[in-house]
């Protein structure tokens, strides 16, 4: 982590934030999924600074954010399956991995590039003013929960980044769906708000990454997507996935659809969508309150279940 503090510009002006980025700065900005921490994908020194600020492993790749499909085509070689998915789900919470077109792009030494088009209005305006691909992982310390509230961003990144852009806070609350389009058939690497059934409707041949697929998740090979090789989404407290929230210790925390106990901290939700939006804030608050155990009820059937289970089980793994 860099020791020297920087003067952080806090602004609600996408054009001012873009000027900072184009001068070589790094900028925290909102997307519809979680907050991102970005630099110009052509400025390799600034991209490496993101790794320092986050304490991120150097082989963990970054997702490039662009303003539209035309800009995406400049970065990546889309195949027919990729075009179909991006025409259907973008702008939005979908990331594709493709062969990269421009060798000058920062891609952690990979020949592929992960790229998406966010739908958050502030993010889109910011990207238009930047007019370059913005390499941006989630705004968090590596391995910790992604941040979805501005109050947490200000606490964590003031004095560490050059600019924090204020805008609409993330509405989805978990990271984008990631698909590897360099594989035939395409493979779903990370579930998200756009789920497997959504994708199957327009891409019947799509497969799900199997846990035994060692070509994408080994200790020796560089991962082609965030979320494959390293522990992610994890608070300091112990995360416990449970079928119900009965007999929970009074000094623990709980998030779920129905409660049986009064505990130190709790968030009640009524849908998987609300669960996704609240999950990371729940984790962050548990750590801020020094809670040692966080109980998470199993999500409901339907949209969001696979994405929530993915995040919770990763957070629970040691």
């Amino acid at each position: 982590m860099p020791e020297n503090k920087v003067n952080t510009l806090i602004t609600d002006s996408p054009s001012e934030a873009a000027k900072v980025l184009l001068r070589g700065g790094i900028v925290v900005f909102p997307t519809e999924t979680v907050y991102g921490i970005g630099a110009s994908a052509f400025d390799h020194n600034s991209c490496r600074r993101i790794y320092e600020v986050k304490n991120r492993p150097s082989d963990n790749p970054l997702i490039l954010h662009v303003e539209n499909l035309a800009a995406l085509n400049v970065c990546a070689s889309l195949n027919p399956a990729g075009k179909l998915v991006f025409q259907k789900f973008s702008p939005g919470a979908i990331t594709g991995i493709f062969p990269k077109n421009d060798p000058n792009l920062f891609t952690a030494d990979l020949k592929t590039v992960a790229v998406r088009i966010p739908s958050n209005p502030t993010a889109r305006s910011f990207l238009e003013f930047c007019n370059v691909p913005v390499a941006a992982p989630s705004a968090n310390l590596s391995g910790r929960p992604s941040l979805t509230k501005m109050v947490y961003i200000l606490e964590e990144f003031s004095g560490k980044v050059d600019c924090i852009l204020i805008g609409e806070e993330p509405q989805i609350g978990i990271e984008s769906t990631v698909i590897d389009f360099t594989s035939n058939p395409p493979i779903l690497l990370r579930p998200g708000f756009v789920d497997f059934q959504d994708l199957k409707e327009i891409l019947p041949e799509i497969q799900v990454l199997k846990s035994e697929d060692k070509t994408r998740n080994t200790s020796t090979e560089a991962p082609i997507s965030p979320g494959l090789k390293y522990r992610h989404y994890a608070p300091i407290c112990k995360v416990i996935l449970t079928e119900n929230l009965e007999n929970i210790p009074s000094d623990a925390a709980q998030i779920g659809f129905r409660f049986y106990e009064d505990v130190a901290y709790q968030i009640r939700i009524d849908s998987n969508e609300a669960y996704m939006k609240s999950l990371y804030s729940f984790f962050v608050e548990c750590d801020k309150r020094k809670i040692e155990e966080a109980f998470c009820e199993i999500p409901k059937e339907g949209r969001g279940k696979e994405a929530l289970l993915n995040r919770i089980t990763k957070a629970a793994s040691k």
Side-chain angles (χ1 to χ4, degrees):
M1 192 71 65
E3 293 182 3
N4 296 331
K5 283 199 170 186
V6 300
N7 292 322
T8 302
L9 172 67
I10 300 171
T11 180
D12 61 1
S13 168
S15 64
E16 288 300 310
K19 290 175 184 176
V20 172
L21 181 133
L22 295 172
R23 290 196 299 263
I26 57 177
V27 177
V28 172
F29 63 98
T31 79
E32 72 279 13
T33 56
V34 298
Y35 279 93
I37 175 171
S40 167
F42 293 119
D43 188 334
H44 291 210
N45 287 333
S46 295
C47 289
R48 291 188 189 100
R49 220 181 115 212
I50 292 174
Y51 284 80
E52 294 174 4
V53 169
K54 283 174 56 75
N55 194 27
R56 185 180 178 90
S58 61
D59 65 346
N60 202 4
L62 308 181
I63 292 174
L64 305 194
H65 293 63
V66 296
E67 69 268 29
N68 54 39
L69 201 54
L72 191 150
N73 276 287
V74 172
C75 297
S77 297
L78 270 70
N79 54 19
K83 290 179 182 176
L84 194 64
V85 168
F86 271 80
Q87 287 169 351
K88 172 72 173 178
F89 297 111
S90 277
I94 193 88
T95 294
I97 296 174
F98 304 98
K100 73 174 178 180
N101 279 341
D102 192 331
N104 295 312
L105 291 168
F106 183 92
T107 56
D109 297 324
L110 294 171
K111 295 180 179 179
T112 56
V113 59
V115 61
R116 85 177 190 95
I117 307 167
S119 62
N120 177 283
T122 298
R124 301 204 67 193
S125 179
F126 170 61
L127 291 167
E128 288 171 5
F129 281 113
C130 290
N131 198 31
V132 295
V134 173
S138 56
N140 60 326
L141 298 183
S142 184
R144 296 292 179 221
S146 300
L147 300 182
T148 56
K149 292 185 180 297
M150 178 53 65
V151 62
Y152 301 145
I153 291 293
L154 293 171
E155 288 175 0
E156 187 61 62
F157 289 103
S158 295
K160 297 178 183 177
V161 300
D162 301 289
C163 179
I164 294 174
L165 176 58
I166 299 171
E168 302 86 353
E169 290 198 329
Q171 292 301 302
I172 293 175
I174 62 170
E175 302 82 0
S176 61
T177 303
V178 180
I179 304 168
D180 177 13
F181 288 103
T182 68
S183 177
N184 188 17
I187 296 177
L188 176 64
L189 300 183
R190 182 175 73 185
F193 184 78
V194 179
D195 65 18
F196 185 66
Q197 291 307 315
D198 293 329
L199 295 165
K200 278 286 259 189
E201 289 180 6
I202 64 166
L203 212 62
E205 69 273 24
I206 191 169
Q207 302 293 311
V208 177
L209 179 70
K210 297 179 173 61
S211 59
E212 64 269 21
D213 186 346
K214 301 301 182 183
T215 64
R216 290 177 175 80
N217 191 15
T218 72
S219 60
T220 57
E221 294 185 23
I224 63 171
S225 168
L228 293 183
K229 183 176 179 180
Y230 298 99
R231 188 180 181 215
H232 276 61
Y233 325 120
I236 296 169
C237 65
K238 182 179 180 180
V239 175
I240 301 165
L241 184 64
T242 180
E243 290 187 6
N244 63 64
L245 297 172
E246 293 185 89
N247 303 316
I248 290 175
S250 60
D251 59 352
Q254 58 188 6
I255 183 170
F257 303 98
R258 56 197 184 278
F259 297 152
Y260 302 97
E261 312 286 347
D262 288 327
V263 295
Y265 177 61
Q266 59 189 28
I267 293 181
R268 185 167 187 169
I269 37 86
D270 58 8
S271 66
N272 286 346
E273 287 82 359
Y275 206 154
M276 286 189 280
K277 189 172 181 179
S278 301
L279 180 65
Y280 290 150
S281 294
F282 171 70
F283 287 159
V284 171
E285 281 297 324
C286 286
D287 284 347
K288 289 171 74 70
R289 296 165 187 249
K290 310 293 186 186
I291 290 170
E292 294 185 359
E293 291 183 318
F295 289 81
C296 301
E297 188 173 1
I298 291 176
K300 294 181 177 181
E301 293 298 325
R303 174 184 293 278
K305 182 177 181 179
E306 60 181 323
L308 283 162
L309 288 176
N310 172 270
R311 304 315 192 270
I312 297 168
T313 54
K314 282 182 179 288
S317 69
K318 298 296 183 183

